Amino acid sequence: MACFRECHFIARNSDMEAHSSKRLLSRKRRKEGSNGETEEGERPGKVPRCTVGLTDPAPFADQLEAVTTPYQRVSMEEARRGTPLDRPVRVYADGIFDLFHSGHARALMQAKGLFPNTHLIVGVCSDELTHKFKGFTVMNEDERYDAVSHCRYVDEVVRNAPWTLTPEFLAKHRIDFVAHDDIPYSSAGSDDVYKHIKEAGMFAPTQRTEGISTSDIITRIVRDYDVYVRRNLQRGYTAKELNVSFINEKKYHLQERVDKVKRKVRDVEERSKEFVQKVEEKSIDLIQKWEEKSREFIGNFLQMFGPEGALKHMLKEGKGRMLQAISPRQSPNSSPTRERSPSPTFRLPFFTKTSPHSATHGYPISEDEED
């Protein structure tokens, strides 16, 4: 299994180097501006998709078969130049790795990418050594071993790692270089536990990730203690499991109820604001539409009934037509005059020529009638 993991890591190492270098440059890169404020650096372009994950966790060193072949360390120049595929550079990194976080993973990523062909061994100290030299941990040693073994950059995990690295330990695990940040680590009565490693030319420095550490995470939890206690009480943990007294438990429950009421009031206020805003928007729309319709109505009214409207023109045209219809037509002055023929004299048919009544009344009788 170890050989399979080595071959797998060797085959993907070139791609991992390019990707890891891009991630290192892209994260937390800052450049100072002219006014002293920090600005985001340029982000690199997108990288092609590739599958570099593993399906199995890293094995523990005490579970691997022992290697009996003689081992000779490589120099820094040889390691940087590149070693044969069957001879990866064995880099060792150790730590507590409590509450395993991205800062731990980034440190191991840097250790993995130190050389073109790297086999990364990670040592995790036991609870006994950690409690003795550093302090109490949140996770126990088995949880910390398991967390490190599931990091994608790790090829091998050493359980119960020593606090100070001895020549015998380095020879046993065939270690070429030790990776750690370059800040002097004072512990176990020494100003720097890696001093003898640096003097032997076996030290490979890495960079710490600012803004995150196990101590910072614990500080956040202690600072927001009440918040997390109330959250866990809601999730079903008992006061005994949380080491909370009866009075504090009731206090937290009361605070939670008060907060629920506040949230409800806040929700009602927000909904009321949204409703008022919608009503205002609709009223504004109605007013605008009413103004548009009123302008249109007034314009149409003026076009019909105004001083120069269509109704006045219609009345003028109707009046003119009526006058033309009532007044007779006059003959033109240039037309020739004609003599009017005498109109025939009216004669009653029952009157005769010799009738005295006709003579008395003086009706004239034409000659034609007499004939």
Side-chain angles (χ1 to χ4, degrees), residues 24-41:
L24 284 172
L25 292 175
S26 62
R27 296 193 182 189
K28 291 189 173 297
R29 178 188 289 178
R30 299 289 187 273
K31 56 182 180 179
E32 292 294 331
S34 58
N35 57 357
E37 297 179 354
T38 59
E39 299 177 354
E40 284 285 343

Side-chain angles (χ1 to χ4, degrees), residues 270-339:
E270 291 178 357
R271 292 176 183 176
S272 301
K273 289 180 181 178
E274 292 178 358
F275 177 76
V276 171
Q277 186 177 0
K278 290 181 180 179
V279 171
E280 289 179 354
E281 292 175 355
K282 289 184 178 180
S283 62
I284 292 172
D285 293 338
L286 290 174
I287 291 172
Q288 290 178 350
K289 291 180 180 179
W290 181 83
E291 289 179 349
E292 293 175 359
K293 293 294 182 182
S294 62
R295 292 194 192 99
E296 183 179 356
F297 175 78
I298 293 171
N300 293 335
F301 182 85
L302 291 176
Q303 288 180 0
M304 178 61 69
F305 302 101
E308 300 297 330
L311 182 63
K312 184 176 181 180
H313 291 292
M314 291 171 61
L315 292 175
K316 284 183 178 180
E317 290 179 0
K319 183 178 179 181
R321 289 176 183 175
M322 291 178 63
L323 291 175
Q324 289 180 0
I326 295 173
S327 61
R329 294 182 180 179
Q330 296 181 358
S331 60
N333 296 329
S334 60
S335 61
T337 58
R338 291 181 300 177
E339 293 182 357

Side-chain angles (χ1 to χ4, degrees), residues 145-325:
Y145 297 154
D146 188 62
V148 173
S149 68
H150 285 83
C151 180
R152 65 187 301 177
Y153 310 111
V154 180
D155 298 301
E156 185 179 336
V157 177
V158 176
R159 294 183 284 193
N160 193 16
W163 198 260
T164 303
L165 301 179
T166 61
E168 293 76 17
F169 179 83
L170 298 174
K172 175 183 177 181
H173 294 279
R174 307 160 71 89
I175 295 171
D176 295 313
F177 299 96
V178 177
H180 200 272
D181 60 82
D182 203 11
I183 302 174
Y185 192 81
S186 58
S187 180
S190 174
D191 295 336
D192 189 0
V193 295
Y194 297 103
K195 182 178 180 181
H196 63 289
I197 303 294
K198 295 177 181 177
E199 293 174 351
M202 298 177 60
F203 188 80
T206 58
Q207 299 294 324
R208 292 178 64 90
T209 301
E210 298 297 333
I212 185 169
S213 66
T214 302
S215 299
D216 293 337
I217 295 174
I218 295 174
T219 300
R220 297 179 204 173
I221 297 173
V222 172
R223 180 188 60 198
D224 301 326
Y225 171 78
D226 292 347
V227 176
Y228 294 115
V229 170
R230 288 166 55 185
R231 184 191 69 171
N232 284 5
L233 286 173
Q234 286 181 346
R235 295 185 177 182
Y237 288 88
T238 63
K240 184 178 180 180
E241 291 174 333
L242 297 173
N243 195 25
V244 175
S245 64
F246 176 80
I247 296 176
N248 287 334
E249 180 186 7
K250 299 305 178 184
K251 181 187 72 174
Y252 291 135
H253 284 304
L254 178 61
Q255 290 176 350
E256 186 62 30
R257 292 174 185 172
V258 172
D259 289 345
K260 284 183 179 180
V261 174
K262 289 181 180 179
R263 285 194 294 268
K264 288 182 180 179
V265 172
R266 194 181 305 113
D267 293 339
V268 171
E269 290 178 352
E270 291 178 357
R271 292 176 183 176
S272 301
K273 289 180 181 178
E274 292 178 358
F275 177 76
V276 171
Q277 186 177 0
K278 290 181 180 179
V279 171
E280 289 179 354
E281 292 175 355
K282 289 184 178 180
S283 62
I284 292 172
D285 293 338
L286 290 174
I287 291 172
Q288 290 178 350
K289 291 180 180 179
W290 181 83
E291 289 179 349
E292 293 175 359
K293 293 294 182 182
S294 62
R295 292 194 192 99
E296 183 179 356
F297 175 78
I298 293 171
N300 293 335
F301 182 85
L302 291 176
Q303 288 180 0
M304 178 61 69
F305 302 101
E308 300 297 330
L311 182 63
K312 184 176 181 180
H313 291 292
M314 291 171 61
L315 292 175
K316 284 183 178 180
E317 290 179 0
K319 183 178 179 181
R321 289 176 183 175
M322 291 178 63
L323 291 175
Q324 289 180 0

